Amino acid sequence: MGSYKKNKHGPSPLPESSNSNKDEMGSYNYKMFNLFNRKFKITEAEPPKDVKKVFSKFSNGGSHMTTDQLRRFLVLNQDELDCTLADAQKIVEEVINRRHHLTRYSRYSLNLDDFFHFLLYDDLNGPITSQVHNDMTAPLAQYFIYTGHNSYLTGNQLSSDCSEVPIVKALQRGVRVIELDLWPGSAKDEILVLHGRTLTTPVPLIKCLKSIREYAFASSPYPVIITLEDHLTPELQAKVAEMVTQTFGGMLYYPESDSLLQFPSPESLKHRIIISTKPPKEYLESSGIKRKGPLSPGGRNSSEEDDEASGIPDHTAELEADDRSDSDQDDEDLTDWDNRSGQLGAPVYKRLITIHAGKPKGCLKDALKAAADKVRRLSLSEQELEKAAATNGTDVVRFTQNNILRIYPKGTRITSSNYKPLVGWMHGAQMIAFNMQGYGKSLWLMHGMFRANGGCGYLKKPDFLLEKGPNNEVFDPKRKLPVTKTLKVKVYLGDGWRLDFSHTHFDSYSPPDFYTKVDFANKFESPDLEIGIMIGVGSSNPAIVYIVGVPADAAKRKTKIIEDNWSPAWNEEFTFPLTVPELALLRVEVQEYDMSDKDDFGGQTCLPVLDLRPGIRSVPLHDKKGEKLKNVLSHHTWWRFRLAEAEAPDDIKALFNQYSENGVMTTDHLQRFLIEVQKQEKDTFQEAQSIVESLKHMTHFYRKGLHLEAFFKYLFGDFNPPLDLKLGVHHDMTAPLSHYFIYTGHNSYLTGNQLSSDCSDVPIINALKKGVRVIELDIWPNSDNDDVEVLHGRTLTTPVQLIKCLRSIKEHAFTASEFPVVITLEDHLNPDLQAKVAQMVTQTFGDILFSPGAESMKELPSPESLKRRIIISTKPPKEYLEAKEIKDKESDTQKGDAFPDEEAWGKEIPILKGHFPADEKNKLDKDDDDDDEEEDLDEGDHKLQHDMAPEYKRLIAIRAGKPKGGLEECLKVDPDKVRRLSLSEPQLEKAAETHGKEIVRYYLFDCAFNGSMLRFTQRNILRVYPKGIRVNSSNYNPLVGWMHGAQMVAFNMQLSYYMILAEQCITFSIVLSNLYKANCGCGFVKKPSFLLKPGPHGEVFDTKAKLPTQKTLKVKIYMGEGWYYDFHHTHFDAYSPPDFYVRVGVAGVPADTVMKKTKTLEDSWIPFWNEEFEFPLTVPELALLRIEVHEYDMSEKDDFGGQTCLPIWELREGIRAVPLHDRKGERYNSVKLLVRLEFV
């Protein structure tokens, strides 16, 4: 380093003396002021206490560790489960040979010093597995592939030499994709490789091809893909084909056809060369070429670099602009090219292409559409990827499940720098093309990622990037993810710098000062932020250890600085919670602290977390270019990796012992456990095996089965939920719509309260994504009476255009469920605007719009028959014909003692004349809401029917209407037609609760209401909506409606500030949303049979009758965890860990509704309750299991710690992991309970 370094021990330093050296006694002399020496003794590293303890434990307290004892250590402590006695013996022999230079062995045992040095040898005790262990038989699209960009460049992108040397180096490192840019020579008779239209000097293509042939499989037997970006005439293409064929011979892979339905596998392509390119466009556009000038260095650079430097066009524009800006011009439309110029291309050249590069013209969304009859490769720049990730993330993931996506650096990276690769990996991009000739943190990450799977250059993508749900949904990279694994890293010590660096490299006057820093990144602030530890390795150098991946957790930590020591010992431990361990990288960077200048670099490495070997390990470091340092950390730094996890409860341990032998639960044992304890009677051996396989990357995994910790991890993991997601939609979906509870929204367009919030399509989209199947729109004329708006009429809510809402419904209707969406229109329009609405609806929805075919239906169609259809439900309006009355009412709304919104919102049901005293009559009047849609259709105004736009009338599938008269008349069933009726929540509650005081009232409500209503809902649809005074968009108890067969219990799906203050309203919202978790969350839940069929004497279900207990649910709350990761450490208590308790109970018919509570456990982030509760159930078909966690607060209101609500009739018995949600119903990343559920 420079002569003038930090002044830590004296006055300003002078230039270092050349006679500073190491003396014979094992110390360093540092010359100070050219006058005197400072001597620092070299101390040899000693075994840390943990190493001494491990040695004593496995040697049974002896002075030597035998071969058998070493094998036990390797199996039990290092998790090397396949280690045999012969393996251990080879290790002992190798250590003794290295340490004592013996080839004839008088003993086969290690003393403490031998054992310590064994741990230092990274070739014997390295941190990651060195074998290929991924399944290599899947199509190429299912792998991340080690990919180079402009592989022939020796330096920058503008003026460096082109050579075969960087290609050779890349192949020796394990790179599997080599990129070559092909251009004609000046005489047009030879082919050169160069970065076109720059100052780079060319290299002959044949030289590159021969180097690839020689070194292709030097580090890996798996295929090498050559991406050719050619700018050649057909004659030169034919020459390339000849070169390629003659050079590679039998190594060259020829595709079976011009277009493949699926790519071949890496296993089937071992030791093969694959060509990937497109037919060129440059020669075919010769006139354009002449205008641009010769295809030679020095002209304008038409690569992606120049265009990108001036900005990338928006993705809503044509992608052709990006093609012109890309030196990777390999993605033009193949079909167009074939049609225009199929006769011009060299056919022998075309036959070489295995991976076709091409995309359809148009927007990015079109480019990402996967063809059913062929697979291909698409390229995006890093900037295009970022935009695609922001707007079309799931489309990218879906495309990469069968096709290949290549990402390349933006054009402004003329210094051959690189970008962050995690964005691409999180979206499934297989080829993250990097400039391998540079260096920097991004390249270190690339090196680290492809150290996995034995460094073979192919990594199997995580299952979550390959799987599709029942509705074709794929992994959403933006979604919140739970912590699935925790990595503990204990940094013991480091050494080796004194052997690889000059003793004055870090400091002219003293040994170095090393430290370690750990940085975590916030989740999804950027998909590639780093979570790290800085680790001092050596006396003055800091080592930085990062976890790189999806940035799921925020924390920064740092070890102490060890001063003046070439062999520092830290003995510090760090914990890393991981949400996506499959894409996480442990990055180690060593630096040396400098008080007055930038800290000095002392080495780095990057390791794939999923391939880490548990135990005490030696971690070698590398220089800035990725070359391994000879000594630094390679023999002298140890890390201990292990899962940090809660201990299994006693019940779990007992069950494990019952279903295992010799500490291992085999697949047979696990299948028996699933059948006998978890009551999964249909689970096969293969399903049990898949569970075992899913845990293969855990620390405590045994090839023949599961260890206790792995078994516990399975029980407490995401693959063991309380509801069986594998069932899919399992209710009979062929009955009429009236036989189902339907997930229904109220005023679906409102973003907040009912009086002054904005109207928008956003809450409609959010509702559809949650599975809501009924969307309500209030449609009004705009101020000019020439267009239609959606708003809450006669309030201060701001409108949104109807067409915007309709388009959003069309786009998102079937995101969460393929079953029909019902749009209830409450219209206040004249016939002309009705006709305009009919046109909008017809044009927007097209063929997915359901037309009933008749004005009235005798029976409603089934959800199955209406899959992916839109249904309109409304009535002929009265507002336009009563315009004068409305104007009068508008002026009257500011008068009187009513809520300002009540009169404005109208009256849903006419007063039940003859059935209510005057005071009751008035009360019902005030409770009526804005849903004034249920006027008489049979005896209605004939002029109204005549004036109604006929095309609008034909849209209505579910007609809303009731005959005039009281409730008894409303509930009469018409055998010739079905309809929809709406009641406000007060009307429903009063009708259900009133009984016994008067014969008329008794008859009406106990007999007529409970009977007539249930009979009504067996054929017709009953909708219940919130009362008008719920201006804060709160909700009501939905159980009342469900008990009486109401299909549409309409809820405000938005959660306002005032609702957050109202715990009961939140609870009702939770109860409703969680009922619809049943039947795979499709939004339709089949009603219990007792609500559908009358008894032998015509009697129907009586909600007030005393019923016997049908079954009893036993719930045992074992424990909980995850709050530590999802909440700030002072969220619950500033001075101590939280004090959690659980409230558990049932929401259902009154006889079943109850809440109970566990004891409070003080000062614990992982509370163990082990408490059991019993809940007798009279109507389990309408019962929901409610669970809430709270944190006890002595002086204030208890803090909320999570909740869930589960349909009891769909619960799976056994021990289950129950994830908890926040107040809005969003699932926490990590918080969950371990619960046992049992029906008796």
Side-chain angles (χ1 to χ4, degrees):
M1 293 297 291
S3 304
Y4 296 94
K5 278 286 283 179
K6 64 193 175 199
N7 182 8
K8 210 171 44 170
H9 300 288
S12 299
L14 298 175
E16 61 185 83
S17 172
S18 60
N19 59 2
S20 292
N21 55 14
K22 180 179 176 182
D23 66 16
E24 296 177 359
M25 301 302 294
S27 62
Y28 280 123
N29 292 326
Y30 291 86
K31 179 71 73 176
M32 297 291 292
F33 306 107
N34 287 323
L35 297 174
F36 60 89
N37 289 332
R38 301 183 70 219
K39 183 177 289 189
F40 290 88
K41 184 179 180 182
I42 298 173
T43 57
E44 292 293 334
E46 292 187 358
K49 289 182 179 179
D50 282 6
V51 173
K52 292 178 180 178
K53 287 180 180 177
V54 166
F55 181 82
S56 177
K57 174 183 176 181
F58 286 94
S59 66
N60 296 326
S63 60
H64 286 79
M65 181 181 286
T66 66
T67 302
D68 185 59
Q69 290 168 341
L70 177 62
R71 185 193 65 81
R72 287 185 58 247
F73 164 77
L74 294 172
V75 171
L76 298 178
N77 196 79
Q78 306 291 84
D79 251 24
E80 298 179 23
L81 307 174
D82 294 331
C83 181
T84 64
L85 197 62
D87 295 330
Q89 183 168 316
K90 287 179 182 178
I91 291 172
V92 171
E93 291 175 357
E94 184 64 27
V95 171
I96 292 176
N97 183 28
R98 295 185 193 184
R99 293 270 298 140
H100 307 290
H101 308 291
L102 299 175
T103 56
R104 300 182 67 182
Y105 309 102
S106 58
R107 61 181 173 88
Y108 285 97
S109 63
L110 304 176
N111 61 28
L112 174 60
D113 201 37
D114 295 332
F115 176 70
F116 178 47
H117 278 79
F118 154 65
L119 294 177
L120 307 180
Y121 296 134
D122 66 275
D123 59 332
L124 299 180
N125 187 42
I128 61 174
T129 55
S130 58
Q131 291 81 31
V132 174
H133 55 84
N134 290 173
D135 172 19
M136 304 301 287
T137 61
L140 287 175
Q142 296 191 17
Y143 298 84
F144 297 127
I145 310 174
Y146 206 175
T147 303
H149 173 255
N150 291 354
S151 307
Y152 48 85
L153 287 178
T154 58
N156 69 60
Q157 302 286 308
L158 293 181
S159 60
S160 65
D161 292 336
C162 300
S163 168
E164 80 283 3
V165 174
I167 297 173
V168 171
K169 288 183 177 179
L171 291 169
Q172 288 175 331
R173 189 179 286 279
V175 172
R176 298 291 87 191
V177 182
I178 299 296
E179 180 185 22
L180 302 178
D181 290 60
L182 310 183
W183 293 81
S186 56
K188 307 294 186 191
D189 61 353
E190 63 175 337
I191 300 148
L192 301 176
V193 174
L194 76 153
H195 200 189
R197 310 189 184 102
T198 68
L199 300 177
T200 57
T201 58
V203 60
L205 170 62
I206 189 63
K207 197 171 184 180
C208 295
L209 296 179
K210 288 178 179 179
S211 295
I212 292 173
R213 181 188 64 189
E214 184 175 355
Y215 293 96
F217 308 109
S219 64
S220 169
Y222 291 98
V224 168
I225 301 170
I226 304 176
T227 62
L228 298 177
E229 183 184 321
D230 74 82
H231 308 255
L232 307 175
T233 65
E235 292 79 9
L236 289 180
Q237 287 178 25
K239 191 170 183 177
V240 169
E242 184 180 4
M243 282 187 192
V244 169
T245 305
Q246 291 180 357
T247 301
F248 296 120
M251 297 166 60
L252 186 64
Y253 176 79
Y254 293 90
E256 296 176 357
S257 63
D258 284 347
S259 58
L260 301 174
L261 292 175
Q262 130 177 319
F263 291 117
S265 70
E267 186 67 29
S268 68
L269 293 171
K270 271 186 173 179
H271 294 97
R272 302 300 288 273
I273 302 293
I274 301 171
I275 303 299
S276 175
T277 187
K278 64 165 183 65
K281 69 178 180 179
E282 285 75 8
Y283 179 70
L284 299 174
E285 296 173 353
S286 56
S287 60
I289 291 173
K290 289 176 183 177
R291 288 194 297 271
K292 290 178 181 178
L295 300 181
S296 61
R300 180 185 176 275
N301 178 12
S302 71
S303 69
E304 85 265 31
E305 286 85 349
D306 268 358
D307 245 12
E308 287 175 357
S310 61
I312 292 291
D314 191 275
H315 282 122
T316 57
E318 295 291 311
L319 284 178
E320 289 180 284
D322 288 327
D323 293 337
R324 290 191 295 272
S325 73
D326 179 9
S327 67
D328 301 85
Q329 294 170 2
D330 55 359
D331 292 326
E332 289 304 298
D333 179 21
L334 295 181
T335 305
D336 279 0
W337 189 89
D338 287 339
N339 292 338
R340 289 185 286 114
S341 53
Q343 301 301 315
L344 296 177
V348 66
Y349 178 81
K350 191 174 182 181
R351 284 197 295 271
L352 300 180
I353 304 172
T354 297
I355 302 176
H356 285 255
K359 61 172 177 273
K361 293 180 179 179
C363 66
L364 178 63
K365 196 172 183 70
D366 291 335
L368 291 170
K369 287 181 179 178
D373 58 345
K374 63 181 177 180
V375 288
R376 58 190 172 94
R377 172 170 66 84
L378 169 68
S379 287
L380 297 176
S381 72
E382 58 175 287
Q383 292 169 311
E384 290 172 328
L385 173 68
E386 288 174 1
K387 292 179 181 178
T391 58
N392 301 90
T394 55
D395 292 330
V396 177
V397 173
R398 188 174 285 106
F399 177 84
T400 59
Q401 289 183 337
N402 293 304
N403 299 276
I404 290 177
L405 178 61
R406 174 178 168 272
I407 311 300
Y408 57 88
K410 61 185 178 183
T412 55
R413 295 190 182 277
I414 57 175
T415 60
S416 296
S417 62
N418 287 299
Y419 50 100
K420 295 180 179 180
L422 263 298
V423 183
W425 289 333
M426 275 298 290
H427 289 81
Q430 296 88 347
M431 296 182 178
I432 307 294
F434 260 38
N435 296 307
M436 298 295 172
Q437 68 273 29
Y439 61 84
K441 294 178 182 178
S442 294
L443 187 57
W444 299 344
L445 301 182
M446 181 65 68
H447 291 165
M449 183 71 164
F450 287 97
R451 287 190 177 105
N453 199 28
C456 74
Y458 287 83
L459 305 181
K460 190 78 156 50
K461 294 200 287 187
D463 290 343
F464 62 78
L465 288 174
L466 303 173
E467 295 168 344
K468 289 183 180 178
N471 298 315
N472 203 36
E473 67 272 16
V474 297
F475 172 72
D476 183 356
K478 293 181 180 179
R479 78 181 186 192
K480 294 181 180 179
L481 300 170
V483 172
T484 59
K485 182 177 288 192
T486 300
L487 174 67
K488 275 193 175 180
V489 180
K490 186 166 187 178
V491 186
Y492 288 116
L493 55 88
D495 200 359
W497 294 274
R498 73 180 191 275
L499 303 176
D500 287 344
F501 294 85
S502 164
H503 76 283
T504 57
H505 177 88
F506 298 109
D507 194 325
S508 299
Y509 304 105
S510 67
D513 313 321
F514 290 115
Y515 67 89
T516 302
K517 186 173 75 176
V518 184
D519 293 332
F520 283 88
N522 290 324
K523 178 169 180 63
F524 292 118
E525 283 183 359
S526 151
D528 189 12
L529 293 179
E530 296 179 345
I531 308 166
I533 306 174
M534 184 166 279
I535 299 172
V537 186
S539 49
S540 305
N541 294 18
I544 307 170
V545 179
Y546 298 84
I547 296 293
V548 182
V550 296
D553 306 276
K556 290 187 179 182
R557 298 169 191 162
K558 176 181 173 181
T559 65
K560 56 185 177 289
I561 297 172
I562 306 295
E563 294 188 355
D564 300 336
N565 196 328
W566 284 100
S567 301
W570 296 276
N571 286 302
E572 294 190 45
E573 187 172 75
F574 304 95
T575 301
F576 300 88
L578 304 174
T579 61
V580 186
E582 299 91 339
L583 296 181
L585 299 164
L586 176 66
R587 189 165 75 81
V588 183
E589 186 178 334
V590 179
Q591 296 183 7
E592 195 269 339
Y593 171 72
D594 195 319
M595 184 183 298
S596 59
D597 205 347
K598 184 179 179 181
D599 293 347
D600 297 320
F601 177 82
Q604 61 80 25
T605 194
C606 195
L607 303 170
V609 167
L610 214 58
D611 274 31
L612 289 176
R613 300 199 297 167
I616 301 171
R617 299 294 176 182
S618 174
V619 178
L621 294 192
H622 304 73
D623 64 16
K624 290 186 177 182
K625 292 188 176 182
E627 299 298 325
K628 180 178 171 181
L629 295 168
K630 293 180 180 179
N631 298 286
V632 175
L633 281 180
S634 60
H635 304 303
H636 305 286
T637 297
W638 302 269
W639 309 75
R640 183 174 181 83
F641 307 103
R642 66 183 179 88
L643 283 175
E645 51 194 10
E647 186 180 352
D650 290 341
D651 282 10
I652 307 300
K653 293 177 182 177
L655 283 168
F656 180 81
N657 291 334
Q658 181 181 348
Y659 289 91
S660 66
E661 291 181 13
N662 300 319
V664 177
M665 177 181 282
T666 65
T667 303
D668 286 324
H669 292 139
L670 179 59
Q671 185 189 10
R672 280 184 51 231
F673 167 80
L674 294 174
I675 293 172
E676 295 173 11
V677 178
Q678 304 293 80
K679 308 301 182 185
Q680 297 170 210
E681 290 85 359
K682 297 181 180 179
D683 276 16
T684 63
F685 179 87
Q686 287 72 26
E687 287 170 313
Q689 183 65 38
S690 69
I691 293 172
V692 174
E693 288 295 323
S694 71
L695 298 164
K696 64 183 177 182
H697 294 303
M698 286 189 52
T699 299
H700 298 287
F701 172 75
Y702 283 77
R703 292 188 183 276
K704 295 182 180 179
L706 303 178
H707 189 274
L708 170 62
E709 282 75 13
F711 174 64
F712 175 47
K713 196 70 175 180
Y714 156 67
L715 289 178
F716 212 176
D718 292 338
F719 295 106
N720 185 39
L723 303 180
D724 191 353
L725 303 180
K726 293 187 297 183
L727 282 177
V729 176
H730 55 280
H731 293 184
D732 173 18
M733 303 301 286
T734 61
L737 287 175
S738 57
H739 287 208
Y740 300 85
F741 297 128
I742 310 174
Y743 204 176
T744 303
H746 174 256
N747 290 356
S748 307
Y749 49 85
L750 286 178
T751 59
N753 68 62
Q754 303 285 311
L755 292 180
S756 60
S757 65
D758 291 336
C759 302
S760 169
D761 63 328
V762 173
I764 296 172
I765 294 170
N766 291 338
L768 291 169
K769 285 182 176 180
K770 288 183 177 179
V772 172
R773 298 290 86 191
V774 182
I775 299 296
E776 180 185 21
L777 302 178
D778 291 58
I779 48 180
W780 294 78
N782 67 355
S783 55
D784 296 328
N785 280 320
D786 60 357
D787 201 0
V788 183
E789 296 177 332
V790 175
L791 75 154
H792 202 189
R794 311 187 187 102
T795 67
L796 300 177
T797 56
T798 57
V800 61
Q801 286 187 317
L802 172 63
I803 189 63
K804 189 174 184 180
C805 296
L806 296 179
R807 287 171 178 168
S808 294
I809 292 172
K810 178 184 178 182
E811 183 176 356
H812 298 279
F814 308 110
T815 301
S817 169
E818 61 182 344
F819 289 97
V821 168
V822 180
I823 303 175
T824 61
L825 298 176
E826 182 184 322
D827 74 83
H828 309 254
L829 306 176
N830 59 43
D832 293 335
L833 287 180
Q834 287 177 16
K836 188 168 185 176
V837 169
Q839 185 180 14
M840 282 187 196
V841 169
T842 304
Q843 291 180 354
T844 301
F845 297 120
D847 292 340
I848 67 174
L849 183 66
F850 174 75
S851 297
E855 283 194 15
S856 59
M857 293 184 288
K858 287 191 174 183
E859 184 177 70
L860 293 166
S862 70
E864 183 67 29
S865 68
L866 294 170
K867 271 185 176 178
R868 308 190 77 84
R869 303 298 290 273
I870 302 292
I871 303 170
I872 304 299
S873 176
T874 187
K875 62 162 183 63
K878 67 177 181 179
E879 283 73 12
Y880 179 67
L881 298 178
E882 298 173 354
K884 184 177 183 303
E885 290 182 346
I886 290 175
K887 289 180 181 177
D888 294 340
K889 287 184 179 180
E890 285 186 273
S891 62
D892 292 339
T893 54
Q894 307 302 322
K895 303 176 183 179
D897 59 352
F899 243 79
D901 56 299
E902 289 171 28
E903 283 286 310
W905 293 353
K907 301 176 180 62
E908 171 69 10
I909 289 188
I911 298 166
L912 305 178
K913 297 176 182 179
H915 297 296
F916 286 92
D919 57 337
E920 289 293 299
K921 172 178 170 180
N922 293 335
K923 285 181 182 177
L924 272 181
D925 218 11
K926 285 183 179 286
D927 284 328
D928 289 339
D929 195 6
D930 57 325
D931 297 61
D932 50 348
E933 61 182 10
E934 311 296 355
E935 291 305 302
D936 176 27
L937 293 184
D938 297 325
E939 303 175 31
D941 195 314
H942 292 290
K943 180 179 182 298
L944 175 67
Q945 302 260 349
H946 176 74
D947 290 344
M948 184 180 183
E951 59 268 49
Y952 179 81
K953 191 174 182 181
R954 283 195 294 270
L955 298 179
I956 304 172
I958 302 176
R959 302 177 67 81
K962 60 175 177 283
K964 291 182 178 180
L967 184 60
E968 186 175 3
E969 291 294 320
C970 294
L971 294 172
K972 283 186 176 178
V973 176
D974 188 332
D976 296 324
K977 64 180 178 180
V978 289
R979 58 191 171 92
R980 173 169 65 82
L981 169 68
S982 287
L983 296 177
S984 71
E985 60 167 294
Q987 291 167 340
L988 176 69
E989 289 172 0
K990 289 175 183 177
E993 292 171 3
T994 307
H995 59 86
K997 293 184 178 179
E998 296 170 318
I999 295 175
V1000 173
R1001 181 172 293 182
Y1002 174 85
Y1003 172 79
L1004 173 63
F1005 292 108
D1006 277 67
C1007 299
F1009 184 81
N1010 286 326
S1012 299
M1013 184 183 292
L1014 287 168
R1015 291 190 185 93
F1016 179 85
T1017 59
Q1018 287 170 0
R1019 279 181 41 80
N1020 302 277
I1021 288 179
L1022 176 62
R1023 175 177 169 270
V1024 182
Y1025 59 90
K1027 59 187 176 183
I1029 59 174
R1030 292 191 183 276
V1031 294
N1032 61 359
S1033 295
S1034 60
N1035 286 304
Y1036 52 99
N1037 186 350
L1039 267 299
V1040 180
W1042 291 335
M1043 285 188 292
H1044 292 88
Q1047 295 89 346
M1048 297 182 179
V1049 178
F1051 257 41
N1052 297 305
M1053 297 297 170
Q1054 70 275 29
L1055 190 64
S1056 70
Y1057 168 77
Y1058 299 101
M1059 282 180 64
I1060 291 176
L1061 301 180
E1063 290 289 339
Q1064 189 180 35
C1065 294
I1066 293 172
T1067 299
F1068 292 152
S1069 300
I1070 290 167
V1071 168
L1072 178 118
S1073 62
N1074 283 280
L1075 171 87
Y1076 292 102
K1077 286 180 182 175
N1079 202 24
C1080 201
C1082 74
F1084 287 81
V1085 175
K1086 191 79 160 26
K1087 294 198 289 187
S1089 59
F1090 59 77
L1091 291 177
L1092 299 172
K1093 298 176 183 178
H1097 303 293
E1099 70 275 11
V1100 294
F1101 175 68
D1102 185 354
T1103 59
K1104 297 180 177 65
K1106 290 185 178 180
L1107 300 172
T1109 297
Q1110 292 191 32
K1111 63 173 63 175
T1112 297
L1113 172 65
K1114 290 173 71 173
V1115 180
K1116 186 166 187 177
I1117 309 291
Y1118 287 115
M1119 58 179 293
E1121 70 170 4
W1123 294 277
Y1124 182 87
Y1125 304 121
D1126 290 347
F1127 293 84
H1128 191 274
H1129 294 175
T1130 58
H1131 176 87
F1132 297 108
D1133 194 321
Y1135 305 104
S1136 67
D1139 312 321
F1140 288 122
Y1141 65 89
V1142 180
R1143 296 182 71 235
V1144 56
V1146 171
V1149 299
D1152 295 343
T1153 301
V1154 66
M1155 287 297 285
K1156 300 179 181 181
K1157 178 182 168 183
T1158 68
K1159 58 182 178 290
T1160 300
L1161 292 182
E1162 295 185 356
D1163 299 335
S1164 178
W1165 285 102
I1166 305 178
F1168 284 78
W1169 292 284
N1170 282 305
E1171 292 191 49
E1172 189 171 74
F1173 305 93
E1174 291 191 6
F1175 300 98
L1177 303 172
T1178 62
V1179 187
E1181 298 89 342
L1182 291 178
L1184 295 156
L1185 177 64
R1186 286 183 54 202
I1187 300 176
E1188 298 174 10
V1189 176
H1190 296 270
E1191 199 271 339
Y1192 173 72
D1193 195 318
M1194 185 181 298
S1195 57
E1196 296 181 12
K1197 184 179 179 181
D1198 292 350
D1199 295 318
F1200 177 81
Q1203 61 78 24
T1204 194
C1205 192
L1206 303 167
I1208 284 177
W1209 66 95
E1210 295 219 342
L1211 288 177
R1212 297 199 298 169
E1213 292 189 79
I1215 299 168
R1216 302 295 176 186
V1218 179
L1220 299 189
H1221 304 72
D1222 63 17
R1223 294 173 187 268
K1224 292 184 178 182
E1226 298 296 326
R1227 178 174 165 176
Y1228 289 122
N1229 289 346
S1230 310
V1231 178
K1232 55 192 171 185
L1233 300 178
L1234 188 66
V1235 173
R1236 183 162 188 168
L1237 305 168
E1238 186 178 2
F1239 290 109
V1240 294

